[in-house]
Each structure stands twice: as C-alpha cells, then as structure tokens.
Amino acid sequence: MSQDPEKVNMPRPELFDFHGVSMTRLFTDNWEEVQNFEARPDDILIATYPKAGTTWVSYILDLLYFGQTCPERQTTIPIFERVPFLEIFVPNLISGKDQAENLPTTPRLIKTHFPVQFVPKSFWEQNCKVVYVARNAKDNMVSYFYFSCMSQLQPEPGDWSSFFQKFLEGNCM
C-alpha cells in the first residue's frame, strides 16, 4: 500500500517554468517514466485543473465501474490508491505512474492535472476515454487558495491578493 502524498512532511516545493507551464518537481522529476506510460485502450483518464472536482469525479466513476461487483473496495481501499494521480512523484513513496501500472482493475481509472500537451501520447494512441472536468473559475480559485494554504505539497500561496493575481496570470501549479 502506498501512503497518502498529502500526509508527507517535507518543505514546500518551488514553482518553476517547465516547457511554458508552471510546475513543481513533484510533477517533473519522473517526467520520462510518465511520458513512457503505456495506456491500455480501456483506460479512463480523469483530467482536471487542481481543485476542480477530481476526487468527486474519481469516486463517481469508481462507483459506476466497480460499486456493484466490488463494493468493499469503497471502504477498504483509499481513493488515492483506487484512482492514482499519474504524474505525482514523492521521494520514498510509490510513484503515481507505478500505482497506475499496477492497478488490478479493468478499466484502470487514472487522474491527471497535466495540461493536454503533457498527457502521455499512449492515451491518444490507444484512443482512451478522457473525462475532463471544469469548474467555475471563481469557485476553483477559492478552493485552490485554501488547499494551497493547507497542503505542504503546494508552493507557498501567499496572501489572497497575491494568489488571486498568480491564478489570473496562470502562475499556479
């Protein structure tokens, strides 16, 4: 079993420009392995902006696909293991890519916050289903700000005014 990446104690990451996108090393240190991920034709990719409903949609899809045949998984396996976060790489924990590869389910439900140009090409080559989730930008920004204040895996958000400006300029992870 892996550990919830949000529960790991480590210094906050720094934001940097990665091929024109603001990122942290938690999403780029495993870049080559993630880009070489081998999707299967029945994989389902949940693609969202952070704090736009990723977990909500993950629960819904997991229930739709496995709720009748394997209801105990809802109470015995945490959602971050049932629907791994493809690009996350926290040192000393199993990577999201490795979790996704080892999923015993068919289809495999996999989530990402990558922009479309960073999604591994195998998802397109295998013609996988993609569930894209968008949320009202104002609601998304408020949720993302409070999440960033709480989560040590996020860069320091600063005060509301500076976060607001960074969000509008696209300078958030």
Side-chain angles (χ1 to χ4, degrees):
M1 264 194 187
S2 67
Q3 185 178 350
D4 183 351
E6 285 298 329
K7 305 261 192 274
V8 176
N9 227 353
M10 56 191 293
R12 285 183 178 259
E14 294 291 321
L15 205 58
F16 67 97
D17 183 277
F18 186 76
H19 302 289
V21 178
S22 295
M23 299 287 271
T24 68
R25 302 245 176 258
L26 293 172
F27 302 109
T28 61
D29 278 356
N30 203 25
W31 181 254
E32 289 300 319
E33 283 196 43
V34 171
Q35 291 306 303
N36 291 322
F37 178 78
E38 289 294 326
R40 299 180 196 151
D42 63 343
D43 284 348
I44 298 172
L45 185 66
I46 302 165
T48 68
Y49 190 80
K51 308 316 295 172
T54 317
T55 303
W56 181 68
V57 171
S58 297
Y59 271 109
I60 291 170
L61 290 174
D62 189 68
L63 280 168
L64 286 171
Y65 281 98
F66 309 111
Q68 293 292 315
T69 57
C70 199
E72 69 280 354
R73 70 186 263 121
Q74 305 301 316
T75 56
T76 60
I77 305 170
I79 192 67
F80 60 86
E81 289 182 12
R82 288 181 273 149
V83 185
F85 191 19
L86 180 64
E87 62 267 23
I88 197 160
F89 182 77
V90 178
N92 303 317
L93 296 180
I94 185 170
S95 71
K97 180 229 156 229
D98 288 342
Q99 275 185 289
E101 285 180 338
N102 295 321
L103 282 173
T105 57
T106 300
R108 297 184 300 187
L109 302 174
I110 303 164
K111 64 187 173 198
T112 185
H113 289 324
F114 271 168
V116 67
Q117 70 269 27
F118 289 175
V119 171
K121 65 181 180 184
S122 65
F123 282 99
W124 312 121
E125 293 168 348
Q126 294 297 325
N127 201 27
C128 297
K129 292 178 182 172
V130 177
V131 176
Y132 175 74
V133 181
R135 182 179 185 185
N136 175 291
K138 292 184 286 185
D139 294 337
N140 201 151
M141 186 180 347
V142 170
S143 179
Y144 200 7
F145 172 72
Y146 285 108
F147 178 76
S148 296
C149 289
M150 180 267 320
S151 174
Q152 295 299 306
L153 293 180
Q154 293 288 317
E156 181 61 47
D159 65 9
W160 170 251
S161 295
S162 61
F163 184 84
F164 184 90
Q165 197 58 42
K166 285 188 279 189
F167 186 92
L168 291 179
E169 293 168 356
N171 293 326
C172 293
M173 186 165 58

